[in-house]
Amino acid sequence: QPVLTQPASASASLGASVTLTCTLSSGYSIYEVDWYQQKPGKGPRFVMRVGTTGIVGSKGEGVPDRFSVLGSGLNRYLTIKNIQEEDESDYHCGADHGSGSNFVWVFGGGTKLTVL
Amino acid sequence: EVQLVESGGGVVQPGGSLRLSCAASRFTFSTYWMHWVRQAPGKGLVWVSRINSDGTTTNYADSVKGRFTISRDNVKNTLYLQMSSLRAEDTAVYYCARVSMLAVPGAFDYWGQGTLVTVSS
């Protein structure tokens, strides 16, 4: 099954842009990855899915246009432009693997985004 | 709007049991696959289990296989997680999540607020 790796932390100034990275383990370059945003004390919120050619399907409900994704090789990126205070959150990437009795869902360790 | 409300968490001794519930409302619960995902304090998300819409198919993470049982009652619109032989490492906030069928099939489009399970003597 794939392993998803995320930096533990990232920061950006108000109004700037930031790109968060989720890296798939070798051999899983065709996998699509979901991005989830989680604010302290709350359940996660679906942001969008990203594959090798970019967004797959549509964004989650209420996700601003400032959020976009890109896929390249083993990396799946989430870019936030014109960062706002409300974007300060933990961001998790995840993907499913297998089917039937072999199904699993794997998450990365999450990235804590701080807005300066 | 879709609502998922978890309950049943609490403090339990190692080796003990607990049953979590996730009450679903404002959508046709019986047509959706559902998952449980947990998060240890200060840590990332970890998938626990999933169940199909009619409850006939289930999957578990290796870490809980044989100890946890996922089930659902489509009349009561409720998802369950029966946890037994609990260990300290099961301490976490447990979330239920709905699987999207339309916009992004397979994604977790709605999550509950979570319920905290603490395994401690």
Side-chain angles (χ1 to χ4, degrees), chain B residues 4 27-28 32 36 40 62 81 105 107 116:
Chain B
L4 296 169
F27 68 99
T28 307
Y32 285 84
W36 286 99
D62 285 345
L81 186 68
L116 176 63

Side-chain angles (χ1 to χ4, degrees), chain B residues 18-85:
Chain B
L18 210 56
R19 188 177 83 158
L20 306 183
S21 300
C22 169
S25 60
R26 301 177 187 171
F27 68 99
T28 307
F29 177 71
S30 61
T31 63
Y32 285 84
W33 290 58
M34 299 291 296
H35 290 240
W36 286 99
V37 176
R38 69 185 181 183
Q39 186 174 35
K43 302 295 185 181
L45 301 173
V46 175
W47 176 75
V48 174
S49 180
R50 76 165 180 176
I51 188 168
N52 70 340
S53 56
D54 66 6
T56 57
T57 298
T58 59
N59 294 95
Y60 299 92
D62 285 345
S63 59
V64 307
K65 205 171 290 184
R67 300 188 299 122
F68 289 12
T69 301
I70 190 172
S71 63
R72 63 192 297 159
D73 185 330
N74 285 345
V75 173
K76 294 183 177 179
N77 291 335
T78 303
L79 175 72
Y80 301 103
L81 186 68
Q82 178 69 48
M83 305 184 295
S84 61
S85 302

Side-chain angles (χ1 to χ4, degrees), chain A residues 31-70:
Chain A
Y31 273 54
E32 298 171 351
V33 157
D34 293 344
W35 282 98
Y36 296 91
Q37 178 192 52
Q38 185 181 28
K39 295 184 183 293
K42 302 288 188 182
R45 167 200 190 193
F46 175 68
V47 177
M48 69 186 88
R49 175 171 290 175
V50 54
T52 55
T53 57
I55 187 171
V56 178
S58 56
K59 294 181 182 180
E61 197 172 320
V63 174
D65 291 341
R66 303 182 288 104
F67 287 67
S68 63
V69 292
L70 196 63

Side-chain angles (χ1 to χ4, degrees), chain B residues 105-119:
Chain B
F108 302 143
D109 61 355
Y110 286 95
W111 298 65
Q113 86 291 346
T115 187
L116 176 63
V117 173
T118 302
V119 183

